[in-house]
Amino acid sequence: MPPVACHDSRVDAAGDDIPWQRIRSLESSTGDIVGADPGDPGRHAGLRSYLSFVGTFKGSMLLVVACFVVSNTVLAVLPVFIGRFVQALAGAAESTDGVYRYAAIIIGCNILHDLTWRAGELLYLRLLNDRGYEYENILFRSVINERYPYFVGKFTGKISSYIATLGREFRDILETTCFTYVEQMIRVPSIIIIMFSVNLYSGLTFLVAVLLMMAVGRHTVRRTSRAEKRLADEVSEMDGYVIDVIANFVSVKSFRQEETEYEQVIRRRRTVIEAARRSYFWTVVFWASMSLVVRYLVWPVSILLNLHLYLTGQLSLAQFTTFLSVLVMFSDFIWGTVWEIAQLNLRLARVEEAYRYLFADRAIIVDQPVALPGPASAAAPRAPGRLEFRGLSFAYPENDGRPVLADIDLTIEPGEKIGIVGRSGSGKTTLVKLLLGYYPLPVDIVRVDGRPTSNYQLAAGISYVPQDTTLFHRSIRDNITYGTAVAATQEQVESAARRAHAHGFITQAPEGYDTLVGERGIKLSTGQRQRIAIARAFLDDKPMLVLDEATSALDSESEVLVQNALEELWRGKTVIAVAHRLSTLLNMDRIIVLAGGGIVEQGSHRELLDQRGRYHALWQRQSGGMLSVD
Ligand code: ADP
């Protein structure tokens, strides 16, 4: 049977097809995103996701936008009333009626503008502000629900930084839409309409000015955007490097590489500074070009033109005053508009890049309440069954179909203890990953008590004790109870810890079960971390145990404690262990030797030694109670 190609949609127990090809096509060999193909139908996946989330609260959105529409409209028509007010003022000697009327309208417009604006602000706070943050929860849920290979193919730092980028941009766009874009969408057309109402020439001058600014702005902004994009890339590369160095601080300290790393940071920072300089330069060019159009073109042309029309009696005082107020408003306002439009482009480019990295062109589900499936153990089988693998073949998607495991047949009886050995790279860990459902297998490969089962379902019945347990930076209690189906009582936690021979060192820790373990559990020794993982497995109490023994020797006291704990843990369970220690191997009912992608020998320790084959050869190289397999 050919190795399982992981993009086979049959294989996914949960029913979702993992987009291998898409994930791969997006990443270069360095794992970085490759530029978007302009013809790609999924080009606006990020924007579509934003819009579909906004669709879940569109009533609230419309209400807030309506407030700002009213607020901006009353302000936009103000120059017309100012013009009429000044005209009325000029004729005040004959009648003061118009003066008071227009004064009242101007005051009223301002108050109405303010009231509707404040209402918009309050409604925004009440109805939209929280939504801006909730989008980030949806992103997190979508990412954390991705399968194992998703995380293997990506930088964790980049994932979290892109979640933050998408969340921040969503909030910014939401806020800018209400407070700025609505304003611009009303004010720019109204300025032009009012100018046309003053006279045709003024209308045309302003229309041409806006079009000219858009054209000039588009050009300079494209340069600015490109420079800003480059800067953002350099900054994120830099951040990734710094995170990587700090995460590997143990290696840095062990090899005393502090100064070398510092020099590297200085060197890499130079490219950031260069990118920042370019970005700043193009921003300056943008503002200068806008200023050129407004101050050197619009003001002189329109003032001289309208003055001439006024002096020759072709323009009333009201029209001339309206023109002047609009001109001031226009100058104050128009650059911001061009800038905001450009910023929106830039923002959307950032959004699309982040979204593609995280989800390719898939839509994330935004309009369903979070239906948390609960801990994996909730639906777990309670008793070990007869486990069969038929024709198990597997190739990593990254490895172009090169099989790691090929056509393996294996039957494991309920309660049987199986040890897996083999040289480094023989596929032991891969087999464990498949048992744990990290990579999906076709359902006809795995059978439990004769029933075809997906390896994802199989994993629900497995407790796993990994080779090197990394813990959450939470309390010891939280780490022990992590993933258990029902909330455990303190007695249950202590009992599990006692059986794992962990209670002693936990009670000696400064705050006992409440002690924080440090990032990835760094404050605990390897043996202690392993015993926490064993305590977790006691509490979890699944019918199968998959165990990846630590390849590095524990100190002899830890080894005895871990061994005793494991022996108690696996009583009554089916055990599959990647085993390195003599003590573990001797306790196994059957040892399986992996080589060349297949099972080359199997039997008890004694039988395999007598065969004088590969196991014997591996065994000959044993040292200090560890089977030297590397
Ligand atoms: P073992 O545990 O026996 O040392 P592994 O199962 O870890 O071996 O690895 C088997 C082979 O699969 C090795 O050649 C390794 O390079 C390859 N491999 C392991 N993990 C991955 C991965 N995520 N992507 C691609 N190849 C992998």
Side-chain angles (χ1 to χ4, degrees):
M1 176 177 173
V4 173
C6 285
H7 50 267
D8 185 343
S9 59
R10 290 175 306 150
V11 298
D12 194 344
D16 33 71
D17 175 12
I18 295 179
W20 297 102
Q21 302 299 352
R22 272 171 284 157
I23 290 174
R24 274 203 284 163
S25 69
L26 281 169
E27 291 181 23
S28 66
S29 53
T30 56
D32 277 334
I33 197 121
V34 174
D37 168 14
D40 185 344
R43 239 169 107 204
H44 302 300
L47 179 62
R48 283 206 310 269
S49 162
Y50 276 6
L51 291 176
S52 74
F53 182 56
V54 171
T56 63
F57 53 89
K58 53 179 177 296
S60 307
M61 185 78 195
L62 285 175
L63 187 62
V64 175
V65 167
C67 285
F68 288 111
V69 167
V70 174
S71 185
N72 284 298
T73 307
V74 290
L75 214 57
V77 296
L78 211 54
V80 176
F81 295 115
I82 291 175
R84 292 188 186 168
F85 175 65
V86 172
Q87 178 86 61
L89 211 54
E94 288 138 42
S95 160
T96 53
D97 276 8
V99 178
Y100 287 113
R101 192 169 64 246
Y102 288 119
I105 289 176
I106 290 169
I107 294 168
C109 276
N110 262 294
I111 291 176
L112 185 59
H113 161 74
D114 193 65
L115 288 178
T116 45
W117 187 274
R118 299 299 146 221
E121 278 179 334
L122 286 176
L123 285 171
Y124 182 90
L125 188 67
R126 180 120 183 78
L127 302 174
L128 301 186
N129 187 60
D130 299 2
R131 300 280 171 274
Y133 289 89
E134 281 164 15
Y135 183 70
E136 223 163 306
N137 293 346
I138 291 164
L139 293 171
F140 177 75
R141 182 186 62 179
S142 302
V143 165
I144 206 66
N145 275 306
E146 291 285 352
R147 292 286 189 80
Y148 181 90
Y150 171 90
F151 297 94
V152 174
K154 291 185 161 42
F155 294 123
T156 45
K158 213 160 174 173
I159 294 176
S160 75
S161 124
Y162 275 155
I163 290 178
T165 302
L166 282 176
R168 195 178 48 246
E169 293 297 348
F170 179 73
R171 284 193 295 277
D172 282 357
I173 292 177
L174 192 64
E175 202 179 303
T176 321
T177 300
C178 295
F179 293 96
T180 312
Y181 297 146
V182 170
E183 184 181 32
Q184 284 155 355
M185 275 187 292
I186 291 185
R187 294 244 233 143
V188 174
S190 64
I191 283 174
I192 294 172
I193 292 168
I194 294 173
M195 279 293 123
F196 271 109
S197 79
V198 168
N199 62 48
L200 181 66
Y201 302 117
S202 297
L204 285 175
T205 312
F206 276 68
L207 183 61
V208 169
V210 169
L211 295 177
L212 191 64
M213 286 176 88
M214 291 292 179
V216 174
R218 224 174 102 85
H219 184 69
T220 46
V221 154
R222 208 178 289 155
R223 298 294 192 108
T224 315
S225 306
R226 222 175 285 154
E228 281 209 26
K229 158 99 178 54
R230 169 101 198 278
L231 174 62
D233 287 350
E234 294 294 348
V235 167
S236 90
E237 280 291 318
M238 185 76 227
D239 288 351
Y241 188 83
V242 169
I243 290 169
D244 194 38
V245 171
I246 292 176
N248 285 299
F249 72 93
V250 176
S251 300
V252 176
K253 294 280 150 202
S254 327
F255 292 94
R256 296 179 187 277
Q257 290 297 296
E258 294 88 344
E259 283 307 310
T260 320
E261 291 299 349
Y262 175 56
E263 278 161 24
Q264 279 290 330
V265 165
I266 292 179
R267 202 172 56 74
R268 284 162 178 262
R269 186 89 62 194
R270 272 190 217 124
T271 55
V272 174
I273 294 170
E274 178 55 30
R277 199 180 293 143
R278 288 190 80 74
S279 160
Y280 187 75
F281 171 76
W282 281 108
T283 309
V284 170
V285 170
F286 168 80
W287 290 113
S289 62
M290 291 298 103
S291 173
L292 199 72
V293 177
V294 173
R295 299 209 193 288
Y296 296 81
L297 201 69
V298 177
W299 275 68
V301 170
S302 62
I303 287 182
L304 290 176
L305 175 77
N306 282 290
L307 189 62
H308 168 74
L309 293 173
Y310 177 69
L311 293 177
T312 54
Q314 298 175 60
L315 212 62
S316 69
L317 181 61
Q319 286 169 317
F320 191 68
T321 313
T322 301
F323 154 74
L324 281 179
S325 340
V326 172
L327 180 64
V328 173
M329 194 191 263
F330 175 82
S331 313
D332 208 30
F333 184 75
I334 191 70
W335 355 47
T337 301
V338 181
W339 179 252
E340 283 300 341
I341 291 173
Q343 285 301 304
L344 182 63
N345 268 333
L346 190 66
R347 274 196 181 133
L348 291 179
R350 272 202 292 263
V351 165
E352 294 308 328
E353 177 169 349
Y355 193 90
R356 285 175 72 92
Y357 187 80
L358 294 177
F359 308 114
D361 57 3
R362 268 175 314 130
I364 57 169
I365 297 173
V366 296
D367 55 355
Q368 279 175 13
V370 183
L372 293 174
S377 47
R382 302 313 316 162
R386 185 169 195 264
L387 189 59
E388 288 168 86
F389 293 95
R390 288 284 161 264
L392 167 60
S393 299
F394 180 77
Y396 283 100
E398 298 90 337
N399 275 0
D400 298 325
R402 204 155 28 86
V404 175
L405 300 174
D407 212 7
I408 288 182
D409 289 333
L410 179 64
T411 303
I412 301 170
E413 298 300 333
E416 200 180 1
K417 319 285 182 247
I418 301 282
I420 301 170
V421 296
R423 301 179 78 99
S424 178
S426 59
K428 304 181 293 294
T429 312
T430 305
L431 188 60
V432 167
K433 286 180 196 163
L434 294 174
L435 286 165
L436 296 173
Y438 291 172
Y439 291 87
L441 287 173
V443 279
D444 50 351
I445 296 284
V446 188
R447 282 165 192 270
V448 177
D449 290 332
R451 276 191 319 277
T453 310
S454 76
N455 58 332
Y456 193 64
Q457 284 166 313
L458 177 71
I462 294 177
S463 293
Y464 175 49
V465 179
Q467 195 175 82
D468 186 16
T469 311
T470 57
L471 302 176
F472 290 94
H473 182 38
R474 301 177 191 171
S475 69
I476 292 180
R477 180 187 301 101
D478 287 348
N479 273 294
I480 293 178
T481 56
Y482 191 79
T484 46
V486 278
T489 63
Q490 179 62 18
E491 288 72 45
Q492 286 169 320
V493 175
E494 276 188 27
S495 153
R498 278 209 175 82
R499 294 167 80 192
H501 297 280
H503 183 69
F505 80 79
I506 295 173
T507 46
Q508 278 164 23
E511 288 172 63
Y513 281 85
D514 292 319
T515 308
L516 295 177
V517 299
E519 209 176 349
R520 283 168 289 132
I522 197 158
K523 290 187 193 167
L524 301 177
S525 73
T526 312
Q528 288 172 334
R529 284 205 298 273
Q530 223 174 19
R531 279 177 278 158
I532 299 262
I534 294 170
R536 204 185 257 176
F538 269 119
L539 209 55
D540 205 18
D541 196 23
K542 303 273 180 57
M544 277 172 284
L545 175 68
V546 169
L547 168 67
D548 208 347
E549 262 188 354
T551 36
S552 57
L554 298 172
D555 61 77
S556 49
E557 193 197 332
S558 271
E559 165 142 14
V560 172
L561 291 175
V562 167
Q563 195 58 42
N564 289 347
L566 283 176
E567 277 169 26
E568 182 169 353
L569 176 64
W570 72 37
R571 222 172 280 153
K573 294 182 197 288
T574 303
V575 177
I576 301 167
V578 175
H580 304 289
R581 295 194 193 95
L582 174 61
S583 49
T584 312
L585 287 164
L586 286 176
N587 281 325
M588 292 295 163
D589 300 321
R590 188 156 44 120
I591 294 164
I592 284 171
V593 184
L594 283 183
I599 298 175
V600 287
E601 288 171 17
Q602 53 181 311
S604 70
H605 174 68
R606 198 63 269 153
E607 285 164 1
L608 289 181
L609 281 187
D610 290 346
Q611 278 183 22
R612 302 201 150 259
R614 280 182 201 256
Y615 183 77
H616 183 262
L618 284 171
W619 192 251
Q620 290 296 305
R621 302 210 272 130
Q622 72 155 46
S623 64
M626 295 290 293
L627 192 61
S628 171
V629 290
D630 296 333

